[in-house]
């Protein structure tokens, strides 16, 4: 009886997760490249890939850390060449949003991954943006585009990307920082973030995914970020937890990503529940869903089961996704009212 009751309650929460409106704030558009599209584009663009079947791809998507993932991720991105490729990639993700009741999404793109192999910046942003506009027109999805600098490259290269972004100021709301974290502290990009802020871009940065709490401090103090992407290492620094709680700085947590990249051994050991108990401004995101095995709903559902979240905790996570977004205050209120 107890078992039956538990199962019924679980189904109720699962259904609630699926049907509730959600915002996604940590999503790399290149990380939504599903194997079927990867194969099609490799063929059409005549790009050699080291896989001959979906099964081979699945076997290769076994990562031991961030670095081992990024190698495969950048390799996959090589099949994206034409504006239509970026449109198709983005459109496929947006249909997924519609299916999952993600009503607002703020997506990252990595221009250096494309420009550095000869792809035109304009074509990348135009392909992505056209798909977003179509989704807005057809099913009312709202969105923001955040351009990320690759932190394993130098700041000079990031400045060049910022110059490109300035020509697309109407399409890009902010800048971020991603790629290999350890050995590339946020401070390295202080200058380019300052220039971005001076031009009115919002700022975010990956920090404390694998790297130390010190990198979170640096992102806050030197890059003046409005959100921290991941941030799960913050619990190792009590002063930092206090600061993040007092200022309610959003941490865009990605549970399935963290398990796939061995930041936590399994979902039961994820610290998201602890972060909620610390009253931190956390929510659930999918990061690179095609590589990590699930979009937002799966991230929420599996975390709820593994960490035994109550209905209230689930609601808090979903409300936090709107609170932490770059939507206008009135728009946030409208969505939050629905809970
Ligand atoms: N971390 C850092 N860089 C990335 C990630 C991530 O999770 N996904 C794509 N680029
Ligand atoms: Zn990420």
């Amino acid at each position: 009886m107890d078992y039956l009751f538990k199962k019924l309650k679980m189904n109720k929460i699962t259904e609630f997760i699926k049907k509730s409106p959600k915002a996604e704030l940590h999503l790399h558009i290149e990380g939504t490249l599903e194997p079927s599209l990867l194969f099609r584009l490799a063929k059409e663009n005549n790009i050699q890939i080291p896989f001959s079947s979906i099964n081979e791809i699945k076997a290769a998507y076994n990562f031991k850390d961030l670095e081992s993932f990024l190698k495969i991720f950048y390799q996959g991105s090589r099949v994206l060449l034409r504006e239509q490729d970026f449109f198709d990639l983005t459109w496929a993700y947006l249909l997924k949003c519609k299916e999952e009741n993600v009503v607002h999404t703020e997506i990252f793109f990595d221009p250096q991954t494309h420009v550095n192999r000869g792809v035109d910046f304009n074509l990348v942003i135009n392909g992505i943006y056209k798909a977003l506009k179509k989704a807005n027109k057809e099913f009312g999805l709202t969105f923001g585009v955040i351009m990320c600098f690759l932190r394993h490259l130098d700041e000079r290269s990031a400045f060049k990307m910022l110059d490109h972004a300035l020509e697309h100021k109407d399409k890009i709301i902010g800048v971020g920082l991603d790629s290999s974290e350890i050995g590339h502290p946020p401070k390295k990009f202080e200058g380019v973030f300052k220039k971005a802020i001076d031009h009115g871009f919002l700022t975010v940065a990956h920090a404390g995914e694998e790297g130390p709490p010190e990198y979170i401090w640096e992102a806050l103090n030197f890059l003046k970020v409005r959100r921290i992407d991941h941030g799960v290492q913050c619990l190792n620094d009590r002063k930092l937890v206090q600061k993040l709680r007092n200022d309610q700085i959003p941490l865009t947590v990605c549970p399935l990503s963290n398990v796939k990249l061995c930041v936590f051994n399994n979902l039961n050991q994820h610290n998201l529940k602890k972060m909620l108990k610390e009253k931190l401004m956390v929510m659930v995101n999918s990061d690179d869903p095609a590589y990590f095995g699930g979009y937002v709903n799966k991230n929420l559902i599996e975390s709820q089961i593994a960490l035994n979240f109550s209905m209230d905790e689930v609601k808090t996570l979903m409300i936090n996704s709107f609170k932490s977004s770059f939507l206008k205050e009135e728009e946030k209120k409208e969505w939050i009212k629905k809970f």
Side-chain angles (χ1 to χ4, degrees):
M1 203 51 195
D2 199 36
Y3 168 78
L4 206 66
F5 179 73
K6 250 186 162 166
K7 203 165 155 87
L8 275 173
K9 185 178 151 217
M10 205 168 84
N11 286 344
K12 200 175 135 207
I13 299 185
T14 298
E15 284 316 303
F16 181 76
I17 289 171
K18 288 185 187 166
K19 76 169 199 322
S20 298
K22 290 159 291 267
E24 172 147 66
L25 309 179
H26 185 157
L27 181 282
H28 301 261
I29 198 62
E30 295 90 347
T32 68
L33 180 61
E34 290 288 348
S36 52
L37 183 58
L38 182 118
F39 274 123
R40 171 166 79 75
L41 296 181
K43 196 161 168 225
E44 286 177 13
N45 290 330
N46 204 14
I47 305 285
Q48 301 299 320
I49 50 167
F51 315 112
S52 59
S53 69
I54 302 246
N55 278 345
E56 272 185 34
I57 289 200
K58 293 249 161 81
Y61 289 4
N62 232 324
F63 314 111
K64 69 174 179 16
D65 54 16
L66 175 59
E67 201 59 34
S68 60
F69 155 68
L70 289 171
K71 201 169 147 229
I72 299 274
F73 171 77
Y74 295 133
Q75 208 171 57
S77 300
R78 287 165 47 249
V79 303
L80 300 160
L81 283 185
R82 304 160 296 184
E83 181 177 312
Q84 187 67 39
D85 301 343
F86 287 93
F87 178 93
D88 290 351
L89 172 76
T90 309
W91 185 245
Y93 164 66
L94 296 170
L95 290 179
K96 205 75 192 170
C97 288
K98 183 170 179 236
E99 187 187 311
E100 296 211 342
N101 284 319
V102 171
V103 296
H104 176 75
T105 184
E106 293 173 10
I107 68 171
F108 299 133
F109 78 113
D110 280 351
Q112 284 146 307
T113 301
H114 314 300
V115 171
N116 293 0
R117 54 189 174 85
V119 179
D120 178 35
F121 184 100
N122 304 300
L123 148 183
V124 177
I125 185 66
N126 288 336
I128 294 169
Y129 196 74
K130 281 179 189 171
L132 289 161
K133 288 293 275 185
K134 182 175 156 84
N136 178 257
K137 191 160 165 237
E138 290 190 8
F139 44 91
L141 179 131
T142 54
F143 63 86
V145 178
I146 298 170
M147 177 180 81
C148 282
F149 305 121
L150 299 183
R151 67 203 304 159
H152 69 274
L153 301 179
D154 59 25
E155 196 187 29
R156 224 177 45 152
S157 171
F159 271 115
K160 282 193 198 146
M161 293 306 115
L162 186 57
D163 286 341
H164 283 299
L166 287 170
E167 289 171 23
H168 294 275
K169 194 81 214 325
D170 56 326
K171 306 181 191 76
I172 300 171
I173 61 163
V175 300
L177 188 65
D178 65 3
S179 187
S180 319
E181 187 179 9
I182 292 172
H184 302 285
K187 195 173 189 317
K188 182 175 157 187
F189 296 92
E190 188 180 3
V192 73
F193 269 68
K194 181 168 187 323
K195 183 170 171 186
I197 291 168
D198 289 345
H199 280 91
F201 289 105
L202 301 163
T203 62
V204 298
H206 283 56
E209 177 183 13
E210 286 183 343
E214 181 58 32
Y215 284 14
I216 301 177
W217 283 113
E218 283 194 16
L220 296 171
N221 294 335
F222 296 114
L223 309 187
K224 315 281 181 210
V225 296
R226 303 269 293 260
R227 293 197 295 248
I228 295 286
D229 294 312
H230 292 296
V232 291
Q233 303 299 334
C234 72
L235 294 190
N236 297 319
D237 180 336
R238 291 312 303 166
K239 262 184 112 168
L240 178 59
V241 170
Q242 247 179 36
K243 158 92 180 159
L244 295 170
R245 178 175 43 238
N246 288 347
D247 297 354
Q248 287 291 284
I249 293 165
L251 307 168
T252 63
V253 176
C254 308
L256 290 179
S257 162
N258 293 153
V259 173
K260 269 293 216 180
L261 302 189
C262 305
V263 176
F264 299 96
N265 289 333
N266 56 56
L267 219 39
N268 303 317
Q269 284 169 23
H270 199 287
N271 64 5
L272 180 57
K273 184 128 177 162
K274 288 196 194 99
M275 292 171 105
L276 270 175
K277 292 216 182 305
E278 291 281 3
K279 302 265 179 273
L280 295 175
M281 180 52 68
V282 286
M283 84 304 302
V284 167
N285 308 272
S286 70
D287 207 5
D288 301 281
Y291 292 89
F292 301 149
Y295 290 77
V296 166
N297 281 353
K298 192 168 178 197
N299 270 274
L300 276 162
I301 292 165
E302 295 205 352
S303 303
Q304 189 273 322
I305 295 168
L307 299 169
N308 196 24
F309 287 140
S310 66
M311 186 64 120
D312 278 350
E313 285 173 320
V314 167
K315 275 188 199 172
T316 300
L317 289 168
M318 294 194 284
I319 289 171
N320 285 353
S321 76
F322 291 105
K323 278 190 184 165
S324 306
S325 73
F326 294 134
L327 282 167
K328 294 195 187 81
E329 288 307 315
E330 314 87 76
E331 294 171 308
K332 290 184 191 183
K333 272 201 197 117
E334 279 305 304
W335 286 118
I336 293 167
K337 235 169 49 187
K338 296 185 194 296
F339 288 89

